[in-house]
Amino acid sequence: MARAVEEPTGCAFVTLTVGGRAGPALTDYPSVTVELERLGAIPVCSASQLEPSASVAARSGGQALMTFTFRNRSRAVCRLSGFPRLALFDVDGHLLHHPVADQGAAIVRRQGLDAAAAVDPQRSASFTVMWAGCHTPRAVRARIELPGVPARFVLGVGSPAKPFAPCPGAALGVGNLVGIS
């Protein structure tokens, strides 16, 4: 029996074990994961594999930024790709209406519409949302749908100190999913 294990971070390498005997570390160029992605051999992450979180970054020039992160808490590599769908809700549970503009044009031009991020065990993929900030109405929950993942994620967002409060009717810029090393 043969087993190959890829260490994708830092100076990437692969260890190969055949019949219980380990050989020397092998270079990981081109990346085993990239080749498996190209072949469609890495499955889409399931909702049970993912642990979501959200964080608001500092404001700059009237723009605000929030990052949504999905950590792969399983022991298997999986993939996420494309542009998530996002819905925001106020404190009373009412949907806040905002048009959404995909912001990942450069990655789509480079990798195509199926631009994917392989998510190794205990690693993450994320996407960002940009908006022009106002003070009200404030979103307190976000519902997120990831392409290919049948479940929806609902997260609490913002805080009084760092509100998620896009101006009414203003567009939200949603980036594509990217892997985090």
Side-chain angles (χ1 to χ4, degrees):
M1 179 155 141
R3 179 180 173 167
V5 177
E6 178 186 34
E7 177 56 49
T9 58
C11 293
F13 63 92
V14 175
T15 57
L16 182 62
T17 305
V18 179
R21 295 181 60 201
L26 305 170
T27 182
D28 188 28
Y29 181 81
S31 169
V32 171
T33 302
V34 170
E35 288 302 307
L36 291 172
E37 279 183 82
R38 187 182 65 75
L39 295 169
I42 297 178
V44 172
C45 298
S46 68
S48 63
Q49 286 178 282
L50 300 172
E51 180 181 316
S53 63
S55 61
V56 177
R59 295 173 170 269
S60 174
Q63 290 285 321
L65 180 77
M66 175 169 277
T67 301
F68 291 93
T69 303
F70 296 84
R71 185 175 69 87
N72 178 357
R73 62 182 174 196
S74 76
R75 297 173 69 193
V77 67
C78 60
R79 72 180 159 81
L80 293 171
S81 62
F83 295 91
R85 294 182 56 156
L86 178 72
L88 302 177
F89 299 89
D90 67 14
V91 70
D92 296 321
H94 298 114
L95 178 66
L96 299 173
H97 296 280
H98 294 280
V100 173
D102 294 341
Q103 298 294 303
I107 201 127
V108 170
R109 278 195 302 275
R110 198 167 53 248
Q111 296 183 20
L113 290 174
D114 294 326
V119 188
D120 291 310
Q122 306 308 312
R123 302 283 186 202
S124 301
S126 68
F127 71 96
T128 57
V129 177
M130 296 181 349
W131 71 90
C134 290
H135 296 289
T136 58
R138 187 169 73 88
V140 296
R141 279 194 345 255
R143 183 181 66 218
I144 301 163
E145 296 176 41
L146 302 175
V149 179
R152 295 175 173 178
F153 298 89
V154 177
L155 294 165
V157 293
S159 68
K162 292 185 177 181
F164 191 172
C167 295
L172 301 173
V174 176
N176 60 294
L177 286 151
V178 295
I180 302 172
S181 297

